[in-house]
Amino acid sequence: MENFHVLSLFEGVSALLQMPISVAIGRIVLVLLGFLMIYLGRKGTLEPLLMIPMGLGMATINVSTMFFDPLNLHHGLGNLFVEPQAGATTDAVRNAADLMTIMQIDWLQPIYTFTFSNGLIACFVFMGIGSLLDIGYVIARPFSSMLIALFAELGTVFTLPIAEFFGFSTKQAAAISSVGGADGPMVLVTSLKLAPELFVPIAIVAYLYLGLAYGAFPYLVRALIPKHIRSIKMDPPKGIADISSGKKIAIAVVACVVLCFLLPVAAPLIFCLFFGVVIRESGIRQFVELLQGPVLYLSTMFLGMTLGILCDAGTIMDPKVLPLLLLGMFSLTLSGVGGIMGGYVMYFITKGKYNPVIGIAGVSCVPSTAKVAQKIVSKDNPFSMIMPYALGANVTGVITTAIITGLFINLLK
Amino acid sequence: MHGITVSLVTYGIAIVIGFFIATLIWALPKLINLLPHGEDKKD
């Protein structure tokens, strides 16, 4: 008892005091950021489904550091949640032993290893999203939806050379620029295939910005589209109710087969999305309820929570992450601007009858950006119903992101 | 391949595939209607 120190009772506190001061301050800032994310998620400013579990995870992981490092990866400090570096060495025997050890210690490790790092959770999220999608909105206006969705990929495509200019390899740059597609599962797959060494920070940046896009895109739209144009009244497109479920299934099946045939590398995600659509339109109530409820929400909850837990100061304060944060923001903003440009193109083609706010929904964060578009327009003109058009662009955005993901991976693998 | 080349090639191919898919989505319902009993019941 001679050397007893009261701080040794509270390992989190003593670990915080023993780490470099910059890291300790970084951890405290991340805890506060986690609180802010929970507050903004609860308030509805940011996407609550992701931000609340992610914020709590981020706040918790940055105070849960202890003197524990069984794999000797972090200078004696670690936690009991997850070890994303386990199994990442070039020594296969050590990798297997590391994973076996860590699987029995860290409670989130099985979730990370078996669902996160292999993209399975992304597939589950896509199945759930597919079961929520009504592709009737795309069938009603396929060309205008596609035009907007392609414009909304500007960030995905043109951040690549800029990231390369900042010193990233072409593969890393492609993985970073995929953030502009605003499609979390696609970003996970692209970074896993092209830049596994940046998988964790890119995944964090992608989902952080998807939440932020929910809050920031309205400002972008208001800055680029004047009020009298935002107020353009649109009536719901005609004929959507006449599209039978049989036709929707036929189109989903053909689109799925054609896209998987052209881009097998993105086939798991494409299949999962259209599987959800087909199940929805088949009317198999039990499966629809399973996908729309437990599958979607359980995966989203664990996705948000695991991402939050991965927001450890050691990862976030890596010097490589700052350019990732900036490039991710640039990519998403450029995609938003591109979507609005697409909206303006439609506005001019239709001689002022098309509300260009719909363009922001081409950024394929389903269905958040469509909801954002309707919310903005409803404030300026409560009688304008753009949601069906926005959902069409939104769903098509998922397809264009899948196409670009597949092309990036095929061109650069 | 340089980044800018990858970007341009990707965007060009994406535009072609995108409008091909849009054409499929536009044409399929019409083809289904041409089939015998293709005009299926409204749900």
Side-chain angles (χ1 to χ4, degrees):
Chain A
M1 294 292 282
E2 284 168 18
N3 295 326
F4 173 77
H5 195 288
V6 70
L7 284 181
S8 63
L9 280 177
F10 304 104
E11 218 177 327
V13 180
S14 48
L16 189 75
L17 292 175
Q18 289 211 6
M19 60 186 68
I21 185 78
S22 57
V23 178
I25 291 171
R27 282 190 187 278
I28 293 165
V29 170
L30 287 170
V31 171
L32 296 175
L33 185 61
F35 290 163
L36 183 68
M37 283 160 68
I38 297 169
Y39 170 72
L40 293 175
R42 175 71 182 83
K43 213 176 148 199
T45 313
L46 303 181
E47 174 60 78
L49 289 179
L50 267 177
M51 287 299 126
I52 292 176
M54 200 169 165
L56 184 60
M58 188 191 277
T60 306
I61 198 66
N62 283 292
V63 293
S64 302
T65 308
M66 52 195 272
F67 299 105
F68 173 77
D69 188 14
L71 306 183
N72 292 322
L73 289 168
H74 305 290
H75 311 291
L77 294 174
N79 61 67
L80 294 176
F81 284 75
V82 70
E83 177 47 78
Q85 295 301 312
T89 73
T90 49
D91 181 345
V93 177
R94 186 189 160 181
N95 285 346
D98 279 0
L99 263 180
M100 190 56 83
T101 307
I102 220 74
M103 284 282 204
Q104 296 172 49
I105 299 172
D106 291 342
W107 79 280
L108 272 178
Q109 197 69 40
I111 300 278
Y112 178 81
T113 307
F114 292 130
T115 72
F116 206 86
S117 62
N118 57 6
L120 178 62
I121 204 160
C123 289
F124 282 155
V125 171
F126 253 42
M127 273 190 198
I129 288 175
S131 70
L132 292 174
L133 295 182
D134 184 348
I135 59 164
Y137 299 121
V138 184
I139 299 170
R141 300 181 71 91
F143 292 106
S144 61
S145 300
M146 187 56 75
L147 182 92
I148 286 175
L150 284 164
F151 266 99
E153 296 293 347
L154 282 187
T156 321
V157 175
F158 291 107
T159 306
L160 195 160
I162 297 165
E164 209 181 37
F165 176 77
F166 277 94
F168 290 98
S169 70
T170 312
K171 285 182 179 183
Q172 290 174 334
I176 296 164
S177 66
S178 68
V179 173
D183 198 323
M186 293 292 178
V187 179
L188 295 185
V189 169
T190 317
S191 56
L192 271 175
K193 302 269 181 197
L194 294 180
E197 68 282 5
L198 291 180
F199 171 67
V200 173
I202 289 179
I204 293 169
V205 167
Y207 278 95
L208 207 56
Y209 284 146
L210 292 193
L212 292 176
Y214 196 68
F217 272 174
Y219 296 101
L220 185 70
V221 170
R222 288 195 189 102
L224 296 177
I225 306 175
K227 191 177 175 183
H228 70 279
I229 297 183
R230 293 200 306 267
S231 313
I232 291 172
K233 185 175 181 295
M234 291 189 74
D235 296 317
K238 288 172 193 152
I240 287 187
D242 296 332
I243 302 167
S244 68
S245 56
K247 279 182 191 162
K248 290 179 189 172
I249 291 174
I251 287 165
V253 170
V254 172
C256 177
V257 170
V258 170
L259 283 170
C260 289
F261 176 59
L262 293 174
L263 305 159
V265 77
L269 284 175
I270 294 168
F271 166 78
C272 289
L273 182 77
F274 286 107
F275 179 80
V277 173
V278 169
I279 291 295
R280 173 196 164 96
E281 297 304 335
S282 303
I284 310 171
R285 189 177 46 82
Q286 296 89 336
F287 281 2
V288 174
E289 285 171 5
L290 178 75
L291 292 184
Q292 289 185 349
V295 170
L296 179 60
Y297 290 112
L298 195 69
S299 347
T300 307
M301 187 184 76
F302 273 110
L303 186 69
M305 193 171 72
T306 313
L307 282 165
I309 295 295
L310 290 171
C311 289
D312 180 77
T315 309
I316 295 281
M317 291 176 69
D318 187 317
K320 265 188 187 165
V321 174
L322 182 65
L324 283 183
L325 283 167
L326 295 174
L327 288 164
M329 192 190 296
F330 175 79
S331 185
L332 207 52
T333 309
L334 189 58
S335 287
V337 173
I340 292 169
M341 279 165 63
Y344 268 119
V345 169
M346 283 306 299
Y347 170 78
F348 289 117
I349 289 176
T350 58
K351 295 181 179 135
K353 287 180 190 152
Y354 197 90
N355 193 326
V357 177
I358 295 164
I360 201 72
V363 182
S364 62
C365 187
V366 180
S368 299
T369 43
K371 284 197 281 185
V372 166
Q374 180 63 59
K375 208 169 141 188
I376 297 166
V377 169
S378 296
K379 270 191 185 168
D380 296 315
N381 180 357
F383 302 105
S384 184
M385 188 63 197
I386 62 160
M387 193 63 165
Y389 300 90
L391 277 170
N394 221 197
V395 177
T396 318
V398 179
I399 297 174
T400 51
T401 310
I403 294 171
I404 289 179
T405 299
L407 290 171
F408 271 165
I409 296 172
N410 277 343
L411 283 169
L412 297 170
K413 68 183 173 190
Chain B
M1 239 196 294
H2 285 298
I4 189 72
T5 319
V6 175
S7 292
L8 292 173
V9 170
T10 302
Y11 207 32
I13 301 174
I15 290 170
V16 173
I17 299 179
F19 279 108
F20 170 63
I21 296 288
T23 311
L24 265 183
I25 293 172
W26 170 79
L28 261 175
K30 289 164 182 60
L31 283 174
I32 292 170
N33 285 345
L34 289 178
L35 294 172
H37 311 293
E39 192 64 66
D40 49 0
K41 270 195 288 180
K42 221 170 41 166
D43 313 86

